[in-house]
Amino acid sequence: MSSNYLKDFPLLKQPTANGKRLVYLDNGATTQKPLSVIKALEGYYGTSNANPHRGAYGLSVKATELYENAREKVRHFLGAAKTEEIIFTKNATESLNLIAYSYGLQFIEAGDEIVLSIAEHHSNLVPWQQVAKARGAVLKYMYVNADGVLPEEEIEAKITAKTKLVAVTHVSNVLGIVNPIRRIAAKAHSVGAVIVVDGAQSVPHLAVNVRELDVDFFVFSGHKMLAPMGIGVLYGREELLEAMPPFLCGGDMIEYVEEQDTTFAPLPAKFEAGTQNVGGAVGLTAAIEYLEQTGLDVIEREERELVRYAVERLQQLPYITLYGCGDLTNKTGVISFNVKDVHPHDVSTILDADGIAIRAGHHCAHPLMHYLGVNATCRASLYFYNTREDVDALLDSLSRVRGVLGYGA
Ligand SMILES: Cc1ncc(COP(=O)(O)O)c(CN[C@@H](CS)C(=O)O)c1O
């Protein structure tokens, strides 16, 4: 893993509060930002900021152009057919809620089944619980195997003629396993169901083409792929978005408002109420440019090499339990683990003293934690700018955790 990316990431070069070299291994939560993204934000607010779509003056026209250029950049990045199929939101969570409350409440009926995987993040699980309760639908789960992989027999058995919607993560934020989306989409469509894919942990790490995957909805958050916080994306097939009622109502999303009723603006504006995050969209444009210049194939390859190195070293520690690391064939850089006798929060605190930033907790995945038989885990989530030296630092610090707490080796 080359560390020549570090020159682009100011935050990764600064020491931690206690003067240690920062080893940032929480990329599943959010990624750090390259200078090109930071400068894009500065440039927008320094030269081009205005409220888009509303002003007839030059600055507003410029802001509108930047915003709509960002939409075209995302369309191309996801391989979508039309810019009308790209909706900007705040984040993946808002995108998933938009689908649940607009598509779900409109088209799911009593007795219909909604199929999830047990590895869903709460953002792609709790909204569907609300829809199931509101409409009298049934929630069913596809369960992963001991290696965190979704078996073919679960896909085949759980998606049936009663299934109306399948909502599944492309990559689990706990297990890091890449799910067989094309296969799941084919099965969903064979029974007349739609498929919603949560791409929050896949889009930053591997090339995604929504038409090749044949998905109906696909979401992601910009901040997990080098972009600023506050900008997210919902992709939806045009015909489905056209049939859906608005999610949020107000300015920009209307065509005409009378005292008792309103006609709505065409796509994508129908789903973009109020003043939009133009700065975030400009930052997302710069983030996509950075990823495309680096190469998602390069990112995926380098990450797989690094995760293999990390897992091989972790497997040599007898007091470490790994989750989702038995089959590395389709695995991104997410590594969940526990240290014998030590709570993940204590592991994280001890690692922090050595400059190492990992996540500890339930990772917004309570049902998966319960299924794995744990309350919480530690999680190191690698990205292309991490290095073998970062992994070695993690292992060195982990080797001291039990000793620090008096458990011996
Ligand atoms: C698979 C998946 N799906 C949705 C979300 C929500 O992303 P937002 O940008 O917060 O809306 C996340 C964010 N997971 C963070 C925070 S819990 C993590 O540390 O794993 C995710 O991983």
Side-chain angles (χ1 to χ4, degrees), residues 82 84-85 216 235-243 267:
K82 299 182 172 183
E84 288 80 359
E85 298 178 314
D216 300 301
Y235 159 80
R237 285 188 203 275
E238 184 181 31
E239 59 272 24
L240 296 176
L241 293 173
E242 289 287 13
L267 293 175

mmCIF file with all atom_site columns, all heavy atoms in Angstrom, residues 82 84-85 216 235-243 267:
data_model
loop_
_atom_site.group_PDB
_atom_site.id
_atom_site.type_symbol
_atom_site.label_atom_id
_atom_site.label_alt_id
_atom_site.label_comp_id
_atom_site.label_asym_id
_atom_site.label_entity_id
_atom_site.label_seq_id
_atom_site.pdbx_PDB_ins_code
_atom_site.Cartn_x
_atom_site.Cartn_y
_atom_site.Cartn_z
_atom_site.occupancy
_atom_site.B_iso_or_equiv
_atom_site.pdbx_formal_charge
_atom_site.auth_seq_id
_atom_site.auth_comp_id
_atom_site.auth_asym_id
_atom_site.auth_atom_id
_atom_site.pdbx_PDB_model_num
ATOM 1   N N   . LYS A 1 82  ? -30.287 8.862  -16.514 1.00 0.00 ? 82  LYS A N   1
ATOM 2   C CA  . LYS A 1 82  ? -30.724 10.260 -16.629 1.00 0.00 ? 82  LYS A CA  1
ATOM 3   C C   . LYS A 1 82  ? -30.408 11.029 -15.348 1.00 0.00 ? 82  LYS A C   1
ATOM 4   O O   . LYS A 1 82  ? -30.459 10.467 -14.243 1.00 0.00 ? 82  LYS A O   1
ATOM 5   C CB  . LYS A 1 82  ? -32.251 10.306 -16.847 1.00 0.00 ? 82  LYS A CB  1
ATOM 6   C CG  . LYS A 1 82  ? -32.737 9.614  -18.110 1.00 0.00 ? 82  LYS A CG  1
ATOM 7   C CD  . LYS A 1 82  ? -34.248 9.770  -18.243 1.00 0.00 ? 82  LYS A CD  1
ATOM 8   C CE  . LYS A 1 82  ? -34.763 9.275  -19.584 1.00 0.00 ? 82  LYS A CE  1
ATOM 9   N NZ  . LYS A 1 82  ? -36.232 9.497  -19.704 1.00 0.00 ? 82  LYS A NZ  1
ATOM 10  N N   . GLU A 1 84  ? -32.395 13.089 -14.121 1.00 0.00 ? 84  GLU A N   1
ATOM 11  C CA  . GLU A 1 84  ? -33.647 13.113 -13.356 1.00 0.00 ? 84  GLU A CA  1
ATOM 12  C C   . GLU A 1 84  ? -33.720 11.979 -12.324 1.00 0.00 ? 84  GLU A C   1
ATOM 13  O O   . GLU A 1 84  ? -34.564 12.006 -11.434 1.00 0.00 ? 84  GLU A O   1
ATOM 14  C CB  . GLU A 1 84  ? -34.859 12.995 -14.305 1.00 0.00 ? 84  GLU A CB  1
ATOM 15  C CG  . GLU A 1 84  ? -35.148 14.211 -15.151 1.00 0.00 ? 84  GLU A CG  1
ATOM 16  C CD  . GLU A 1 84  ? -34.254 14.308 -16.373 1.00 0.00 ? 84  GLU A CD  1
ATOM 17  O OE1 . GLU A 1 84  ? -33.371 13.414 -16.571 1.00 0.00 ? 84  GLU A OE1 1
ATOM 18  O OE2 . GLU A 1 84  ? -34.393 15.267 -17.143 1.00 0.00 ? 84  GLU A OE2 1
ATOM 19  N N   . GLU A 1 85  ? -32.862 10.996 -12.456 1.00 0.00 ? 85  GLU A N   1
ATOM 20  C CA  . GLU A 1 85  ? -32.872 9.860  -11.523 1.00 0.00 ? 85  GLU A CA  1
ATOM 21  C C   . GLU A 1 85  ? -31.930 10.061 -10.339 1.00 0.00 ? 85  GLU A C   1
ATOM 22  O O   . GLU A 1 85  ? -31.801 9.187  -9.492  1.00 0.00 ? 85  GLU A O   1
ATOM 23  C CB  . GLU A 1 85  ? -32.477 8.581  -12.275 1.00 0.00 ? 85  GLU A CB  1
ATOM 24  C CG  . GLU A 1 85  ? -33.464 8.219  -13.388 1.00 0.00 ? 85  GLU A CG  1
ATOM 25  C CD  . GLU A 1 85  ? -33.052 6.985  -14.176 1.00 0.00 ? 85  GLU A CD  1
ATOM 26  O OE1 . GLU A 1 85  ? -31.870 6.882  -14.558 1.00 0.00 ? 85  GLU A OE1 1
ATOM 27  O OE2 . GLU A 1 85  ? -33.922 6.117  -14.382 1.00 0.00 ? 85  GLU A OE2 1
ATOM 28  N N   . ASP A 1 216 ? -33.316 -0.835 -8.346  1.00 0.00 ? 216 ASP A N   1
ATOM 29  C CA  . ASP A 1 216 ? -34.386 0.145  -8.536  1.00 0.00 ? 216 ASP A CA  1
ATOM 30  C C   . ASP A 1 216 ? -34.101 1.430  -7.767  1.00 0.00 ? 216 ASP A C   1
ATOM 31  O O   . ASP A 1 216 ? -34.451 2.520  -8.207  1.00 0.00 ? 216 ASP A O   1
ATOM 32  C CB  . ASP A 1 216 ? -35.713 -0.461 -8.068  1.00 0.00 ? 216 ASP A CB  1
ATOM 33  C CG  . ASP A 1 216 ? -36.058 -1.724 -8.854  1.00 0.00 ? 216 ASP A CG  1
ATOM 34  O OD1 . ASP A 1 216 ? -36.179 -1.622 -10.087 1.00 0.00 ? 216 ASP A OD1 1
ATOM 35  O OD2 . ASP A 1 216 ? -36.109 -2.819 -8.248  1.00 0.00 ? 216 ASP A OD2 1
ATOM 36  N N   . TYR A 1 235 ? -30.417 7.410  -5.927  1.00 0.00 ? 235 TYR A N   1
ATOM 37  C CA  . TYR A 1 235 ? -30.719 7.046  -7.314  1.00 0.00 ? 235 TYR A CA  1
ATOM 38  C C   . TYR A 1 235 ? -32.024 6.267  -7.308  1.00 0.00 ? 235 TYR A C   1
ATOM 39  O O   . TYR A 1 235 ? -32.232 5.367  -6.475  1.00 0.00 ? 235 TYR A O   1
ATOM 40  C CB  . TYR A 1 235 ? -29.619 6.173  -7.927  1.00 0.00 ? 235 TYR A CB  1
ATOM 41  C CG  . TYR A 1 235 ? -30.133 5.393  -9.131  1.00 0.00 ? 235 TYR A CG  1
ATOM 42  C CD1 . TYR A 1 235 ? -30.260 5.998  -10.377 1.00 0.00 ? 235 TYR A CD1 1
ATOM 43  C CD2 . TYR A 1 235 ? -30.571 4.066  -8.981  1.00 0.00 ? 235 TYR A CD2 1
ATOM 44  C CE1 . TYR A 1 235 ? -30.779 5.307  -11.462 1.00 0.00 ? 235 TYR A CE1 1
ATOM 45  C CE2 . TYR A 1 235 ? -31.092 3.369  -10.074 1.00 0.00 ? 235 TYR A CE2 1
ATOM 46  C CZ  . TYR A 1 235 ? -31.209 3.988  -11.293 1.00 0.00 ? 235 TYR A CZ  1
ATOM 47  O OH  . TYR A 1 235 ? -31.741 3.302  -12.365 1.00 0.00 ? 235 TYR A OH  1
ATOM 48  N N   . GLY A 1 236 ? -32.931 6.612  -8.241  1.00 0.00 ? 236 GLY A N   1
ATOM 49  C CA  . GLY A 1 236 ? -34.164 5.837  -8.388  1.00 0.00 ? 236 GLY A CA  1
ATOM 50  C C   . GLY A 1 236 ? -34.529 5.746  -9.857  1.00 0.00 ? 236 GLY A C   1
ATOM 51  O O   . GLY A 1 236 ? -34.317 6.701  -10.616 1.00 0.00 ? 236 GLY A O   1
ATOM 52  N N   . ARG A 1 237 ? -35.050 4.592  -10.279 1.00 0.00 ? 237 ARG A N   1
ATOM 53  C CA  . ARG A 1 237 ? -35.525 4.482  -11.663 1.00 0.00 ? 237 ARG A CA  1
ATOM 54  C C   . ARG A 1 237 ? -36.563 5.587  -11.911 1.00 0.00 ? 237 ARG A C   1
ATOM 55  O O   . ARG A 1 237 ? -37.473 5.802  -11.090 1.00 0.00 ? 237 ARG A O   1
ATOM 56  C CB  . ARG A 1 237 ? -36.165 3.138  -11.912 1.00 0.00 ? 237 ARG A CB  1
ATOM 57  C CG  . ARG A 1 237 ? -35.208 1.970  -12.039 1.00 0.00 ? 237 ARG A CG  1
ATOM 58  C CD  . ARG A 1 237 ? -36.003 0.741  -12.482 1.00 0.00 ? 237 ARG A CD  1
ATOM 59  N NE  . ARG A 1 237 ? -35.354 -0.508 -12.143 1.00 0.00 ? 237 ARG A NE  1
ATOM 60  C CZ  . ARG A 1 237 ? -34.416 -1.086 -12.893 1.00 0.00 ? 237 ARG A CZ  1
ATOM 61  N NH1 . ARG A 1 237 ? -34.012 -0.483 -13.999 1.00 0.00 ? 237 ARG A NH1 1
ATOM 62  N NH2 . ARG A 1 237 ? -33.862 -2.226 -12.520 1.00 0.00 ? 237 ARG A NH2 1
ATOM 63  N N   . GLU A 1 238 ? -36.454 6.251  -13.047 1.00 0.00 ? 238 GLU A N   1
ATOM 64  C CA  . GLU A 1 238 ? -37.313 7.403  -13.332 1.00 0.00 ? 238 GLU A CA  1
ATOM 65  C C   . GLU A 1 238 ? -38.793 7.076  -13.154 1.00 0.00 ? 238 GLU A C   1
ATOM 66  O O   . GLU A 1 238 ? -39.538 7.826  -12.528 1.00 0.00 ? 238 GLU A O   1
ATOM 67  C CB  . GLU A 1 238 ? -37.064 7.912  -14.749 1.00 0.00 ? 238 GLU A CB  1
ATOM 68  C CG  . GLU A 1 238 ? -37.856 9.163  -15.085 1.00 0.00 ? 238 GLU A CG  1
ATOM 69  C CD  . GLU A 1 238 ? -37.614 9.660  -16.504 1.00 0.00 ? 238 GLU A CD  1
ATOM 70  O OE1 . GLU A 1 238 ? -37.346 8.814  -17.390 1.00 0.00 ? 238 GLU A OE1 1
ATOM 71  O OE2 . GLU A 1 238 ? -37.676 10.898 -16.709 1.00 0.00 ? 238 GLU A OE2 1
ATOM 72  N N   . GLU A 1 239 ? -39.209 5.922  -13.676 1.00 0.00 ? 239 GLU A N   1
ATOM 73  C CA  . GLU A 1 239 ? -40.648 5.598  -13.626 1.00 0.00 ? 239 GLU A CA  1
ATOM 74  C C   . GLU A 1 239 ? -41.141 5.398  -12.189 1.00 0.00 ? 239 GLU A C   1
ATOM 75  O O   . GLU A 1 239 ? -42.291 5.721  -11.871 1.00 0.00 ? 239 GLU A O   1
ATOM 76  C CB  . GLU A 1 239 ? -40.972 4.366  -14.477 1.00 0.00 ? 239 GLU A CB  1
ATOM 77  C CG  . GLU A 1 239 ? -40.252 3.085  -14.094 1.00 0.00 ? 239 GLU A CG  1
ATOM 78  C CD  . GLU A 1 239 ? -38.903 2.935  -14.792 1.00 0.00 ? 239 GLU A CD  1
ATOM 79  O OE1 . GLU A 1 239 ? -38.324 3.970  -15.187 1.00 0.00 ? 239 GLU A OE1 1
ATOM 80  O OE2 . GLU A 1 239 ? -38.416 1.787  -14.911 1.00 0.00 ? 239 GLU A OE2 1
ATOM 81  N N   . LEU A 1 240 ? -40.254 4.946  -11.314 1.00 0.00 ? 240 LEU A N   1
ATOM 82  C CA  . LEU A 1 240 ? -40.659 4.781  -9.907  1.00 0.00 ? 240 LEU A CA  1
ATOM 83  C C   . LEU A 1 240 ? -40.726 6.145  -9.219  1.00 0.00 ? 240 LEU A C   1
ATOM 84  O O   . LEU A 1 240 ? -41.683 6.457  -8.514  1.00 0.00 ? 240 LEU A O   1
ATOM 85  C CB  . LEU A 1 240 ? -39.681 3.860  -9.182  1.00 0.00 ? 240 LEU A CB  1
ATOM 86  C CG  . LEU A 1 240 ? -39.622 2.412  -9.688  1.00 0.00 ? 240 LEU A CG  1
ATOM 87  C CD1 . LEU A 1 240 ? -38.538 1.625  -8.950  1.00 0.00 ? 240 LEU A CD1 1
ATOM 88  C CD2 . LEU A 1 240 ? -40.970 1.728  -9.535  1.00 0.00 ? 240 LEU A CD2 1
ATOM 89  N N   . LEU A 1 241 ? -39.721 6.971  -9.438  1.00 0.00 ? 241 LEU A N   1
ATOM 90  C CA  . LEU A 1 241 ? -39.715 8.313  -8.837  1.00 0.00 ? 241 LEU A CA  1
ATOM 91  C C   . LEU A 1 241 ? -40.907 9.132  -9.322  1.00 0.00 ? 241 LEU A C   1
ATOM 92  O O   . LEU A 1 241 ? -41.537 9.865  -8.547  1.00 0.00 ? 241 LEU A O   1
ATOM 93  C CB  . LEU A 1 241 ? -38.415 9.034  -9.179  1.00 0.00 ? 241 LEU A CB  1
ATOM 94  C CG  . LEU A 1 241 ? -37.124 8.463  -8.573  1.00 0.00 ? 241 LEU A CG  1
ATOM 95  C CD1 . LEU A 1 241 ? -35.912 9.192  -9.143  1.00 0.00 ? 241 LEU A CD1 1
ATOM 96  C CD2 . LEU A 1 241 ? -37.131 8.550  -7.043  1.00 0.00 ? 241 LEU A CD2 1
ATOM 97  N N   . GLU A 1 242 ? -41.254 8.982  -10.595 1.00 0.00 ? 242 GLU A N   1
ATOM 98  C CA  . GLU A 1 242 ? -42.410 9.730  -11.146 1.00 0.00 ? 242 GLU A CA  1
ATOM 99  C C   . GLU A 1 242 ? -43.696 9.344  -10.403 1.00 0.00 ? 242 GLU A C   1
ATOM 100 O O   . GLU A 1 242 ? -44.564 10.183 -10.175 1.00 0.00 ? 242 GLU A O   1
ATOM 101 C CB  . GLU A 1 242 ? -42.588 9.410  -12.644 1.00 0.00 ? 242 GLU A CB  1
ATOM 102 C CG  . GLU A 1 242 ? -41.528 9.991  -13.564 1.00 0.00 ? 242 GLU A CG  1
ATOM 103 C CD  . GLU A 1 242 ? -41.675 11.514 -13.754 1.00 0.00 ? 242 GLU A CD  1
ATOM 104 O OE1 . GLU A 1 242 ? -42.436 12.164 -13.001 1.00 0.00 ? 242 GLU A OE1 1
ATOM 105 O OE2 . GLU A 1 242 ? -40.997 12.050 -14.643 1.00 0.00 ? 242 GLU A OE2 1
ATOM 106 N N   . ALA A 1 243 ? -43.813 8.076  -10.016 1.00 0.00 ? 243 ALA A N   1
ATOM 107 C CA  . ALA A 1 243 ? -45.054 7.573  -9.394  1.00 0.00 ? 243 ALA A CA  1
ATOM 108 C C   . ALA A 1 243 ? -45.128 7.893  -7.905  1.00 0.00 ? 243 ALA A C   1
ATOM 109 O O   . ALA A 1 243 ? -46.175 7.730  -7.275  1.00 0.00 ? 243 ALA A O   1
ATOM 110 C CB  . ALA A 1 243 ? -45.145 6.062  -9.598  1.00 0.00 ? 243 ALA A CB  1
ATOM 111 N N   . LEU A 1 267 ? -39.233 15.892 -11.917 1.00 0.00 ? 267 LEU A N   1
ATOM 112 C CA  . LEU A 1 267 ? -37.976 15.365 -11.360 1.00 0.00 ? 267 LEU A CA  1
ATOM 113 C C   . LEU A 1 267 ? -36.785 16.186 -11.845 1.00 0.00 ? 267 LEU A C   1
ATOM 114 O O   . LEU A 1 267 ? -36.823 16.670 -12.987 1.00 0.00 ? 267 LEU A O   1
ATOM 115 C CB  . LEU A 1 267 ? -37.793 13.898 -11.806 1.00 0.00 ? 267 LEU A CB  1
ATOM 116 C CG  . LEU A 1 267 ? -38.778 12.872 -11.256 1.00 0.00 ? 267 LEU A CG  1
ATOM 117 C CD1 . LEU A 1 267 ? -38.506 11.522 -11.906 1.00 0.00 ? 267 LEU A CD1 1
ATOM 118 C CD2 . LEU A 1 267 ? -38.679 12.791 -9.749  1.00 0.00 ? 267 LEU A CD2 1
#
